[in-house]
Amino acid sequence: MSTKINRRKALGSITLGAAAALSNLSFANIRIDKNRLLEEKLPVRISMNCSTLLHYKLPADIQIDLIANAGFDGIEMWMSDIKTFIEKGGSTATLRNKLKEHNLVLENIIGFSKWCSDNAEERSKAMAQLREEMEITKELGGKFIATPVQGIDKIDPNKYDQYAERYAAILKLGDETGVTPILELWGMGALHRISDCAQIAIATGHPKATMLLDFYHVHRGGNDWDTIDLINAGKLPVIHMNDYPASPAYNLLTDADRVLPGDGVCDFDTIIPKLYQAGFRGGFSVELFNKTYWNTMDAPTLMKTCYEKTREVVTKALNSK
């Protein structure tokens, strides 16, 4: 890409100052009696990432039914599950209709491509893959696709402009397809610092540049939430929801250590109000890979447990300030 990326151009992307503009917002509309917890409408969505159902090996249409029946507002589907469903005779129209019937928001699609590779040929193949997967996402009625940094082992501080150019390239592809790629932070991956994530997104100068954060990954990557309100959280469509234990140390944690919201030590009562005040109105989407849950609960029980615990944590947090 020959276009120069101007770091000063992107004030309209992920920008500072949202907290001040929203500081007078009230939580009055969500102050509820705990006994009516599951009857009240929240100003955010409670959603489910289908990774939590990975162990059960369920078809994509059954996943939608289970998640909707548990009470969730939204869903993150995996592209691999969708492609398998289509290969076995299903269609995107079937899945789209099912999502519509259940009134489920398709938060995004989880896909993996090496769009950020240092190898030009690898990036070219990734662009072709992303275009196909964006078209599938569009057919499902989705507007976002998750794009973790793939193809590099670590961030090179001398290449921020190149990373921004590569993200800008897939954002342009998103303009063409109508599906926006979300720059995803991974606590154990190359892009594990919120500051790096924000710098790359801002430097694109693209108005739809955005980030996908995750409570576990933020902690696992050695970040904290003290300055998260510098980001316009209204630009974040979804945040992955999970909790983590006090031990082992953050840098020794694995995906399998994630626990249900409220069962770990994450300070939701501080972080969620801060995100709300900074503009977040998207989906808190539960993402777990915990074998203990898979071995002790069937899929419907796990879905219901995830929904009720997550909703309780979010409601309590929003009422805590």
Side-chain angles (χ1 to χ4, degrees):
M1 176 179 280
S2 59
T3 305
K4 284 282 187 181
I5 300 295
N6 185 341
R7 293 180 187 276
R8 300 179 181 177
K9 182 180 175 183
L11 291 178
S13 181
I14 296 179
T15 137
L16 309 181
L22 293 163
S23 60
N24 293 323
L25 288 174
S26 169
F27 296 119
N29 63 322
I30 55 167
R31 293 191 182 281
I32 64 173
D33 183 331
K34 190 172 180 180
N35 292 329
R36 298 184 62 203
L37 175 65
L38 302 182
E39 300 176 15
E40 299 293 334
K41 182 173 177 59
L42 295 174
V44 294
R45 294 184 297 277
I46 306 298
S47 302
M48 171 54 66
N49 186 312
C50 288
S51 64
T52 312
L53 287 167
L54 185 66
H55 167 78
Y56 305 100
K57 302 185 185 304
L58 300 169
D61 57 337
I62 302 302
Q63 293 176 9
I64 293 172
D65 288 336
L66 275 173
I67 290 168
N69 291 339
F72 288 96
D73 306 306
I75 183 173
E76 291 179 282
M77 301 185 71
W78 280 51
M79 182 57 67
S80 56
D81 291 336
I82 295 164
K83 288 182 176 179
T84 298
F85 181 77
I86 294 170
E87 289 166 2
K88 292 185 176 181
S91 69
T92 53
T94 297
L95 296 178
R96 178 172 182 155
N97 289 337
K98 190 172 281 287
L99 289 166
K100 187 175 181 180
E101 289 167 8
H102 286 305
N103 198 28
L104 275 178
V105 173
L106 182 55
E107 301 286 5
N108 70 50
I109 296 296
I110 308 298
F112 305 96
S113 67
K114 295 184 178 181
W115 63 270
C116 200
S117 173
D118 288 328
N119 182 293
E121 183 178 353
E122 207 164 47
R123 288 201 307 276
S124 178
K125 291 179 180 178
M127 292 290 281
Q129 177 187 338
L130 261 179
R131 180 179 289 278
E132 177 196 10
E133 294 182 348
M134 285 176 171
E135 293 291 354
I136 292 173
T137 302
K138 184 178 180 180
E139 290 173 11
L140 292 170
K143 297 179 180 179
F144 298 98
I145 186 167
T147 49
V149 168
Q150 301 275 281
I152 58 174
D153 295 325
K154 63 181 180 179
I155 293 293
D156 182 340
N158 298 312
K159 291 185 176 181
Y160 282 113
D161 285 341
Q162 293 181 46
Y163 301 144
E165 287 177 356
R166 294 168 193 175
Y167 184 36
I170 64 173
L171 284 164
K172 182 179 178 182
L173 189 60
D175 290 337
E176 295 170 7
T177 61
V179 175
T180 300
I182 314 176
L183 188 62
E184 185 173 2
L185 179 144
W186 277 3
M188 293 175 286
L191 188 61
H192 61 270
R193 301 292 298 175
I194 296 176
S195 55
D196 290 337
C197 202
Q199 182 170 341
I200 293 167
I202 291 171
T204 65
H206 196 289
K208 292 185 178 180
T210 186
M211 306 186 302
L212 176 50
L213 302 181
D214 177 305
F215 287 94
Y216 161 79
H217 279 304
V218 168
H219 177 69
R220 177 62 177 80
N223 303 276
D224 59 52
W225 296 90
D226 289 347
T227 54
I228 196 65
D229 46 0
L230 290 174
I231 293 173
N232 179 0
K235 301 277 289 185
L236 310 181
V238 62
I239 294 175
H240 287 166
M241 187 72 173
N242 37 57
D243 208 335
Y244 42 83
S247 63
Y250 78 89
N251 59 325
L252 299 178
L253 290 168
T254 69
D255 281 337
D257 293 316
R258 303 185 201 196
V259 294
L260 284 158
D263 286 355
V265 297
C266 184
D267 187 7
F268 293 114
D269 287 352
T270 298
I271 301 167
I272 289 177
K274 186 175 286 191
L275 287 166
Y276 183 89
Q277 292 286 353
F280 185 69
R281 299 295 184 276
F284 285 115
S285 183
V286 181
E287 184 181 41
L288 299 170
F289 297 87
N290 193 308
K291 293 180 180 179
T292 299
Y293 302 142
W294 291 340
N295 292 333
T296 58
M297 287 185 252
D298 60 21
T301 301
L302 179 57
M303 291 299 95
K304 194 65 176 176
T305 302
C306 286
Y307 176 76
E308 292 179 351
K309 288 187 71 69
T310 302
R311 188 178 177 93
E312 182 173 1
V313 164
V314 172
T315 303
K316 177 178 178 289
L318 288 173
N319 280 291
S320 67
K321 300 296 180 181

